[in-house]
């Protein structure tokens, strides 16, 4: 089919800190991007409005109107009811059961597909990025939290309640640190950026010497982001590397266990923390995963870094929106 | 189709302590059973011979000859290469890459299907037993070890190396007891019968009062089986109940984590330990799993006891052998 006959779609990455919209053409090339910060103010209506503004911004940048695109796909940082087009919850933003699909369709008069963000990232990496050609895949995206995406035979594993692949809430140690979900010792309580920053801040609070002190203010604000973690590794900062070594080991424990359970052929590590730390993190995670996994389960398994960076979720959301169109025809 | 036109199949449960063969008719009724003990002596040849004797015993009991059956299915207590008809390993019996399918076909002149035993048990429970009608299922069978079986959309999840569903080797605590697989703190190191007996024997060794003392001889032999565990619970034996409470909690931790990962709708608890302890175990496992699972993932999930007892693996092996015949047609 000639490129000109396939309408572009808009893919939206709806994260806890930013909204990124991109216009994606029929060959999965990004024609334009538009970014807005996710804000707490305004509740569900305010958030919806900002998402619409991001979509419009991406369209205008690409010199397109809504009539020029075939669909909008959204990857949301939380569980979604894809069949109903609903963002089930984004607790940090006070979002519960937001019918975002309907809102976008009402506004732009095109079909809209709402999906979990890490599902989108995993799909994008498997179709276009580091996982091309793989069919049985686990995607793990450590960021503010830790999201997961699972492909079985090339198809997203959604699970009964469309809440599958929550590797961030698999147990590492029942007596471990308290997790945001309310129980102790989930992976997220060790290896999310929030947990990593918590442990580094505690060490700094105890008076241990670290460059992290430059990012943690006496007024309690904390500007320790993934890039500062990478700087700590590069400069051999003991506090930062010790905390990250443990986080990597625990990621490997959870991933090795998941390999034993799922029998996947490929694990893709993505998200901001992975992007900042690169092979330093991937190698440590892979070593710990290999140790936990049974020899027979680990044979031939590859653990790789995601390659699509910040575009992964937009691209996956766009891909899934396009696939949904094809299924409905 | 009339019953008379469908040939029976033989299903074999190849376990670490017993071999159970059953002739199963076209309506999945068991026509005969024949049991032999699994023996260490004789190596792979001796084991193959005993399996053949069990099959012959079941046939003779049902007044049938090999020509009367359509296929033989085997559920083996270890990883299998189903496509090649090979038992990959049964470490306790010194079995490595045993081409059991070919041996059975050579001997009985019928197609033979080799499958993992817990896969068989899970399939049987989902088609004929406690899981009838469920499509997304996790089967967990605590016994000498802890086996698992996973159905996604009604189909067995085999994984890249046909080694998926090894929930016994998912992490509970990286600093926990040493597991037979070589690393620390797998579920199996807490909740298999071997681990349970190890912990009870240690308490008895420390001089704690327990009926377990009746089963553990001064010469080191240990006759503590599942029925003795059930007796301990009934009689309120503190040593036994404490160890089992912990095992149940850890089973729940691993199952809750697996629900978060897989999004299954049903968990089936089977195996000898579950059969002996019944709802006492199932209720405790379910409570711990609910605590670990995310609310959204656990919604509507049922955790139930297997209902086919000792026949589950034979029936599942028979079902899968019949399905393989149908696929080849």
């Amino acid at each position: 089919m000639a490129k000109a006959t396939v309408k572009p779609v808009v893919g939206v990455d709806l994260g806890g800190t930013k909204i990124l919209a991109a216009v994606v053409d029929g060959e999965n090339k990004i024609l334009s991007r538009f970014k807005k910060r996710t804000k707490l103010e305004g509740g569900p209506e305010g958030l919806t409005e900002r998402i619409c503004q991001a979509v419009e911004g991406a369209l205008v940048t690409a010199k397109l109107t809504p009539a020029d695109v075939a669909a909008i796909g959204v990857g949301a940082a939380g569980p979604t009811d894809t069949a109903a087009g609903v963002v089930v919850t984004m607790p940090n933003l006070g979002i519960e059961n937001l019918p975002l699909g309907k809102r976008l369709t009402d506004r732009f008069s095109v079909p809209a597909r709402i999906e979990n963000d890490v599902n989108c990232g995993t799909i994008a990496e498997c179709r276009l990025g580091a996982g091309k050609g793989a069919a049985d895949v686990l995607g793990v995206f450590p960021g503010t939290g830790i999201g997961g995406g699972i492909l079985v035979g090339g198809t997203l594993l959604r699970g009964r309640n469309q809440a599958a692949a929550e590797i961030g809430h698999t147990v590492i140690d029942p007596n471990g640190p308290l997790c945001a979900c309310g129980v102790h010792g989930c992976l997220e309580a060790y290896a999310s950026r929030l947990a990593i920053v918590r442990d580094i801040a505690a060490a700094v609070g105890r008076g241990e010497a670290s460059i992290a002190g430059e990012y943690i203010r006496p007024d309690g604000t904390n500007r320790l982001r993934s890039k500062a973690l990478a700087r700590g590794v590069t400069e051999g900062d003991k506090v930062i590397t010790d905390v990250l070594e443990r986080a990597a080991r625990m990621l490997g424990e959870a991933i090795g266990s998941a390999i034993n359970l799922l029998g996947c052929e490929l694990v893709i590590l993505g998200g901001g923390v992975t992007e900042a730390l690169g092979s330093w993190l991937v190698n440590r995670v892979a070593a710990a995963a290999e140790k936990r996994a049974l020899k027979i389960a680990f044979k031939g398994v590859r653990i790789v870094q995601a390659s699509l960076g910040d575009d992964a979720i937009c691209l996956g959301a766009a891909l899934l929106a396009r696939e949904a169109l094809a299924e409905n025809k």
Side-chain angles (χ1 to χ4, degrees), chain A:
Chain A
M1 195 186 296
K3 181 179 169 182
T5 67
V6 179
K7 278 187 173 182
V9 295
V10 181
V12 180
D13 173 357
L14 171 56
T17 54
K18 70 160 197 301
I19 301 162
L20 174 62
V23 176
V24 181
D25 76 8
E27 297 187 330
N28 298 312
K29 299 279 176 270
I30 290 180
L31 304 181
S32 69
R33 292 178 185 80
F34 197 90
K35 200 190 269 197
K36 286 191 84 74
R37 286 188 58 184
T38 310
K39 285 195 177 165
L40 281 167
E41 302 95 79
E45 297 313 316
L47 182 69
T48 304
E49 181 55 34
R50 295 182 75 79
I51 296 166
C52 290
Q53 288 168 2
V55 171
E56 272 165 3
L59 287 172
V60 167
T61 308
K63 301 194 169 68
L64 296 174
T65 69
D68 297 320
V69 298
I72 300 171
V74 178
T80 59
D81 182 341
T82 296
V86 166
V87 179
V88 174
T89 177
M90 290 179 75
N92 298 337
L93 298 176
I95 299 299
E96 296 286 333
N97 295 315
L98 175 64
L100 184 58
K102 185 178 183 313
R103 298 283 165 84
L104 290 171
T105 296
D106 287 351
R107 176 78 161 253
F108 297 105
S109 303
V110 295
R113 173 96 171 170
I114 312 300
E115 189 48 86
N116 170 266
D117 60 348
V118 182
N119 280 354
C120 292
T122 304
I123 277 282
E125 292 289 345
C126 289
R127 302 264 203 277
L128 310 169
K132 245 192 235 179
D136 296 303
V137 179
L138 169 65
V140 182
F141 285 60
T144 314
I146 299 178
I150 297 172
L151 262 69
V152 174
T155 301
L156 275 175
L157 181 71
R158 296 176 190 280
R160 175 188 169 83
N161 299 323
Q162 303 188 58
E166 284 283 4
I167 194 168
H169 299 282
T170 54
V171 67
I172 292 292
D173 178 352
N175 300 313
L178 185 64
C179 183
C181 76
V183 293
H184 284 263
C186 292
L187 173 63
E188 215 172 87
Y190 290 94
S192 68
R193 208 184 58 215
L194 287 181
I196 290 166
V197 168
R198 173 203 65 205
D199 290 348
I200 293 172
V204 170
R206 288 192 302 270
E208 296 182 34
S210 168
I211 62 160
E214 298 171 29
Y215 301 87
I216 299 168
R217 306 283 167 83
D219 67 359
T221 60
N222 189 320
R223 299 185 173 279
L224 203 60
R225 301 273 181 273
S226 299
K227 277 182 187 166
L229 299 179
R231 185 189 150 204
V233 166
T234 306
E235 299 184 10
D237 186 284
K238 188 171 182 319
V239 165
I240 290 175
T241 49
D242 281 359
V243 169
L244 287 174
E245 291 273 7
R246 183 171 89 145
R249 217 161 52 236
M250 298 314 179
L251 276 165
E253 289 282 2
I255 289 170
S257 296
I259 290 168
N260 287 342
L261 201 61
L262 296 168
C264 43
E265 60 182 309
L266 180 74
V267 177
I268 299 173
L269 285 169
V273 175
T274 307
E275 209 176 331
L277 298 173
S279 60
W280 186 93
L281 182 72
V282 174
N283 293 342
R284 281 162 177 77
V285 170
E290 181 168 10
K291 199 177 158 204
R292 172 63 51 188
L294 296 170
K295 265 207 184 75
I296 189 175
F298 199 78
K299 196 177 161 189
V301 173
R302 292 181 302 130
I303 298 183
V304 301
Q305 186 178 345
S307 68
L308 300 174
D310 267 357
D311 292 331
I313 294 166
C314 287
L315 282 169
L319 281 167
L320 288 168
R322 206 182 278 292
E323 287 182 13
L325 282 183
E327 281 161 21
N328 289 340
K329 266 174 194 166

PDB file of all heavy atoms in Angstrom, chain A residues 27 36 45 52 58 65 91 143 150 172 211 214 224 259 308-309 316:
ATOM      1  N   GLU A  27       4.284   4.511   8.206  1.00  0.00           N
ATOM      2  CA  GLU A  27       5.506   3.696   8.300  1.00  0.00           C
ATOM      3  C   GLU A  27       6.157   3.830   9.668  1.00  0.00           C
ATOM      4  O   GLU A  27       7.350   3.546   9.830  1.00  0.00           O
ATOM      5  CB  GLU A  27       6.469   4.100   7.178  1.00  0.00           C
ATOM      6  CG  GLU A  27       5.847   3.808   5.809  1.00  0.00           C
ATOM      7  CD  GLU A  27       6.819   4.025   4.669  1.00  0.00           C
ATOM      8  OE1 GLU A  27       7.702   4.883   4.791  1.00  0.00           O
ATOM      9  OE2 GLU A  27       6.673   3.291   3.664  1.00  0.00           O
ATOM     10  N   LYS A  36       3.721  18.481  27.124  1.00  0.00           N
ATOM     11  CA  LYS A  36       3.199  19.335  28.200  1.00  0.00           C
ATOM     12  C   LYS A  36       3.502  18.661  29.531  1.00  0.00           C
ATOM     13  O   LYS A  36       3.605  17.436  29.597  1.00  0.00           O
ATOM     14  CB  LYS A  36       1.674  19.514  28.068  1.00  0.00           C
ATOM     15  CG  LYS A  36       1.257  20.451  26.942  1.00  0.00           C
ATOM     16  CD  LYS A  36      -0.215  20.798  27.011  1.00  0.00           C
ATOM     17  CE  LYS A  36      -0.525  21.944  27.940  1.00  0.00           C
ATOM     18  NZ  LYS A  36      -0.136  23.269  27.413  1.00  0.00           N
ATOM     19  N   GLU A  45     -10.779  16.890  34.675  1.00  0.00           N
ATOM     20  CA  GLU A  45     -11.095  17.791  33.548  1.00  0.00           C
ATOM     21  C   GLU A  45      -9.843  18.529  33.095  1.00  0.00           C
ATOM     22  O   GLU A  45      -9.581  18.660  31.898  1.00  0.00           O
ATOM     23  CB  GLU A  45     -12.186  18.803  33.969  1.00  0.00           C
ATOM     24  CG  GLU A  45     -13.525  18.161  34.339  1.00  0.00           C
ATOM     25  CD  GLU A  45     -13.979  17.136  33.321  1.00  0.00           C
ATOM     26  OE1 GLU A  45     -13.886  17.406  32.105  1.00  0.00           O
ATOM     27  OE2 GLU A  45     -14.404  16.037  33.741  1.00  0.00           O
ATOM     28  N   CYS A  52      -5.655  17.002  25.479  1.00  0.00           N
ATOM     29  CA  CYS A  52      -6.176  17.516  24.203  1.00  0.00           C
ATOM     30  C   CYS A  52      -5.240  18.589  23.635  1.00  0.00           C
ATOM     31  O   CYS A  52      -4.996  18.643  22.421  1.00  0.00           O
ATOM     32  CB  CYS A  52      -7.586  18.091  24.391  1.00  0.00           C
ATOM     33  SG  CYS A  52      -8.823  16.815  24.707  1.00  0.00           S
ATOM     34  N   ALA A  58       0.684  18.644  18.715  1.00  0.00           N
ATOM     35  CA  ALA A  58       1.382  17.733  17.797  1.00  0.00           C
ATOM     36  C   ALA A  58       0.805  17.856  16.389  1.00  0.00           C
ATOM     37  O   ALA A  58       1.544  17.844  15.394  1.00  0.00           O
ATOM     38  CB  ALA A  58       1.288  16.296  18.303  1.00  0.00           C
ATOM     39  N   THR A  65      -4.794  18.626  10.615  1.00  0.00           N
ATOM     40  CA  THR A  65      -6.001  18.846  11.414  1.00  0.00           C
ATOM     41  C   THR A  65      -6.483  17.469  11.881  1.00  0.00           C
ATOM     42  O   THR A  65      -6.047  16.437  11.351  1.00  0.00           O
ATOM     43  CB  THR A  65      -7.116  19.507  10.589  1.00  0.00           C
ATOM     44  OG1 THR A  65      -7.583  18.541   9.627  1.00  0.00           O
ATOM     45  CG2 THR A  65      -6.609  20.740   9.867  1.00  0.00           C
ATOM     46  N   PRO A  91      -3.311   7.096  40.663  1.00  0.00           N
ATOM     47  CA  PRO A  91      -3.530   7.559  42.036  1.00  0.00           C
ATOM     48  C   PRO A  91      -2.842   8.891  42.338  1.00  0.00           C
ATOM     49  O   PRO A  91      -3.423   9.750  43.006  1.00  0.00           O
ATOM     50  CB  PRO A  91      -2.951   6.437  42.905  1.00  0.00           C
ATOM     51  CG  PRO A  91      -2.572   5.328  42.000  1.00  0.00           C
ATOM     52  CD  PRO A  91      -2.722   5.770  40.585  1.00  0.00           C
ATOM     53  N   GLY A 143      10.861   3.332  36.585  1.00  0.00           N
ATOM     54  CA  GLY A 143      10.789   4.788  36.556  1.00  0.00           C
ATOM     55  C   GLY A 143      10.325   5.221  37.941  1.00  0.00           C
ATOM     56  O   GLY A 143      10.813   4.680  38.927  1.00  0.00           O
ATOM     57  N   ILE A 150       3.882  -7.799  29.033  1.00  0.00           N
ATOM     58  CA  ILE A 150       4.181  -9.189  28.684  1.00  0.00           C
ATOM     59  C   ILE A 150       3.563  -9.523  27.336  1.00  0.00           C
ATOM     60  O   ILE A 150       2.379  -9.257  27.110  1.00  0.00           O
ATOM     61  CB  ILE A 150       3.650 -10.157  29.768  1.00  0.00           C
ATOM     62  CG1 ILE A 150       4.352  -9.905  31.106  1.00  0.00           C
ATOM     63  CG2 ILE A 150       3.823 -11.623  29.332  1.00  0.00           C
ATOM     64  CD1 ILE A 150       3.745 -10.677  32.265  1.00  0.00           C
ATOM     65  N   ILE A 172       9.693  -9.553  46.721  1.00  0.00           N
ATOM     66  CA  ILE A 172      11.132  -9.797  46.827  1.00  0.00           C
ATOM     67  C   ILE A 172      11.445 -10.322  48.216  1.00  0.00           C
ATOM     68  O   ILE A 172      12.248 -11.238  48.390  1.00  0.00           O
ATOM     69  CB  ILE A 172      11.933  -8.498  46.569  1.00  0.00           C
ATOM     70  CG1 ILE A 172      11.806  -8.069  45.122  1.00  0.00           C
ATOM     71  CG2 ILE A 172      13.396  -8.658  46.947  1.00  0.00           C
ATOM     72  CD1 ILE A 172      12.475  -8.973  44.121  1.00  0.00           C
ATOM     73  N   ILE A 211      27.569  12.883  46.339  1.00  0.00           N
ATOM     74  CA  ILE A 211      27.164  14.012  45.498  1.00  0.00           C
ATOM     75  C   ILE A 211      25.654  14.209  45.565  1.00  0.00           C
ATOM     76  O   ILE A 211      25.142  15.257  45.164  1.00  0.00           O
ATOM     77  CB  ILE A 211      27.575  13.819  44.022  1.00  0.00           C
ATOM     78  CG1 ILE A 211      26.888  12.583  43.427  1.00  0.00           C
ATOM     79  CG2 ILE A 211      29.090  13.743  43.878  1.00  0.00           C
ATOM     80  CD1 ILE A 211      26.839  12.604  41.905  1.00  0.00           C
ATOM     81  N   GLU A 214      24.088  17.386  46.826  1.00  0.00           N
ATOM     82  CA  GLU A 214      23.875  18.588  46.010  1.00  0.00           C
ATOM     83  C   GLU A 214      22.439  18.699  45.506  1.00  0.00           C
ATOM     84  O   GLU A 214      21.984  19.775  45.124  1.00  0.00           O
ATOM     85  CB  GLU A 214      24.801  18.551  44.779  1.00  0.00           C
ATOM     86  CG  GLU A 214      26.284  18.543  45.105  1.00  0.00           C
ATOM     87  CD  GLU A 214      27.118  18.279  43.861  1.00  0.00           C
ATOM     88  OE1 GLU A 214      26.675  18.636  42.737  1.00  0.00           O
ATOM     89  OE2 GLU A 214      28.211  17.687  44.001  1.00  0.00           O
ATOM     90  N   LEU A 224      16.933  14.777  42.876  1.00  0.00           N
ATOM     91  CA  LEU A 224      17.732  13.634  42.432  1.00  0.00           C
ATOM     92  C   LEU A 224      16.961  12.897  41.333  1.00  0.00           C
ATOM     93  O   LEU A 224      15.996  12.187  41.606  1.00  0.00           O
ATOM     94  CB  LEU A 224      17.966  12.711  43.630  1.00  0.00           C
ATOM     95  CG  LEU A 224      19.161  11.766  43.620  1.00  0.00           C
ATOM     96  CD1 LEU A 224      20.476  12.521  43.512  1.00  0.00           C
ATOM     97  CD2 LEU A 224      19.145  10.933  44.903  1.00  0.00           C
ATOM     98  N   ILE A 259      11.066 -15.129  34.522  1.00  0.00           N
ATOM     99  CA  ILE A 259      11.504 -16.019  33.433  1.00  0.00           C
ATOM    100  C   ILE A 259      11.124 -17.455  33.774  1.00  0.00           C
ATOM    101  O   ILE A 259      10.635 -18.206  32.924  1.00  0.00           O
ATOM    102  CB  ILE A 259      13.024 -15.874  33.192  1.00  0.00           C
ATOM    103  CG1 ILE A 259      13.329 -14.503  32.567  1.00  0.00           C
ATOM    104  CG2 ILE A 259      13.563 -17.007  32.315  1.00  0.00           C
ATOM    105  CD1 ILE A 259      14.807 -14.145  32.544  1.00  0.00           C
ATOM    106  N   LEU A 308      14.086   2.630  21.909  1.00  0.00           N
ATOM    107  CA  LEU A 308      13.261   3.711  21.357  1.00  0.00           C
ATOM    108  C   LEU A 308      13.190   4.934  22.258  1.00  0.00           C
ATOM    109  O   LEU A 308      12.594   5.950  21.890  1.00  0.00           O
ATOM    110  CB  LEU A 308      11.846   3.195  21.063  1.00  0.00           C
ATOM    111  CG  LEU A 308      11.763   2.042  20.062  1.00  0.00           C
ATOM    112  CD1 LEU A 308      10.332   1.522  19.970  1.00  0.00           C
ATOM    113  CD2 LEU A 308      12.254   2.479  18.682  1.00  0.00           C
ATOM    114  N   GLY A 309      13.786   4.830  23.445  1.00  0.00           N
ATOM    115  CA  GLY A 309      13.862   5.981  24.347  1.00  0.00           C
ATOM    116  C   GLY A 309      12.496   6.564  24.667  1.00  0.00           C
ATOM    117  O   GLY A 309      11.516   5.833  24.847  1.00  0.00           O
ATOM    118  N   GLY A 316       4.078   2.930  20.620  1.00  0.00           N
ATOM    119  CA  GLY A 316       3.251   1.771  20.946  1.00  0.00           C
ATOM    120  C   GLY A 316       1.777   2.126  20.981  1.00  0.00           C
ATOM    121  O   GLY A 316       0.928   1.373  20.489  1.00  0.00           O
TER     122      GLY A 316
END
